[in-house]
Amino acid sequence: MGAVGFKAGYPEVDLSKVFTPTVIVKSDVVNKSCFPSVLLTYLTTGVGGFVADPRLVDPWPKLFKENSPGNNLIDVPLLFVHGDFDETVSPAVSKSIYDSECLLGAQAQRKTYETSSATHSGVFPLAKDDVLNFVSDRFEGKKFESSC
């Protein structure tokens, strides 16, 4: 899915340098379907997908760096929410990105949720009110208080 996004943003990228022809042919599903259909499409492909490691093939390393959070200032208010029991993405990852954005001069807040239900997907209901208030405040033009 990410490769399709990169291709849309960087039309000059040659996907065939890193992906199999089968993966490329099926990539249109990303633009036409929701995540479960995309996942099912690629799970049933039966191919590894890669012909080379994109971290080692130009221009991918440069694109990864340019598009990775924490490497470039995001100049709109940011809200990071993370569950302390996230086993998919370590809370240290969001803390690192938050810290990097703060060092770059971003306006950001980071909220963590410390309950056993604060898993990767379980954090959503816990953070719902914080996220809705954050978005509402932006639309209402309220001053953002950064915690950086």
Side-chain angles (χ1 to χ4, degrees):
M1 290 177 16
V4 172
F6 274 113
K7 182 68 175 169
Y10 303 92
E12 70 279 7
V13 168
D14 182 358
L15 296 179
S16 69
K17 289 185 175 182
V18 292
F19 295 102
T20 64
T22 304
V23 167
I24 294 168
V25 166
K26 293 182 179 249
S27 68
D28 197 41
V29 70
V30 173
N31 296 319
K32 295 180 179 177
S33 303
C34 294
F35 180 72
S37 295
V38 173
L39 186 60
L40 184 61
T41 297
Y42 284 107
L43 285 176
T44 59
T45 299
V47 296
F50 291 99
V51 295
D53 184 341
R55 297 172 300 175
L56 305 174
V57 177
D58 285 333
W60 292 98
K62 178 179 178 257
L63 297 178
F64 291 151
K65 183 173 171 78
E66 287 176 359
N67 290 280
S68 292
N71 288 332
N72 301 291
L73 173 65
I74 299 173
D75 62 356
V76 295
L78 302 171
L79 174 64
F80 291 81
V81 296
H82 211 120
D84 281 349
F85 288 83
D86 188 333
E87 294 178 354
T88 305
V89 178
S90 167
V93 171
S94 72
K95 174 78 166 94
S96 175
I97 295 168
Y98 167 82
D99 289 343
S100 294
E101 286 296 331
C102 287
L103 287 172
L104 291 168
Q107 295 182 29
Q109 294 176 355
R110 182 172 181 269
K111 298 189 179 205
T112 58
Y113 303 85
E114 301 174 3
T115 175
S116 61
S117 61
T119 61
H120 190 66
S121 59
V123 74
F124 294 119
L126 299 169
K128 180 183 84 168
D129 289 340
D130 290 327
V131 171
L132 291 175
N133 288 333
F134 172 81
V135 172
S136 294
D137 288 351
R138 302 296 66 78
F139 279 110
E140 293 172 15
K142 291 185 180 175
K143 183 173 171 26
F144 180 75
E145 298 293 332
S146 178
S147 59
C148 287

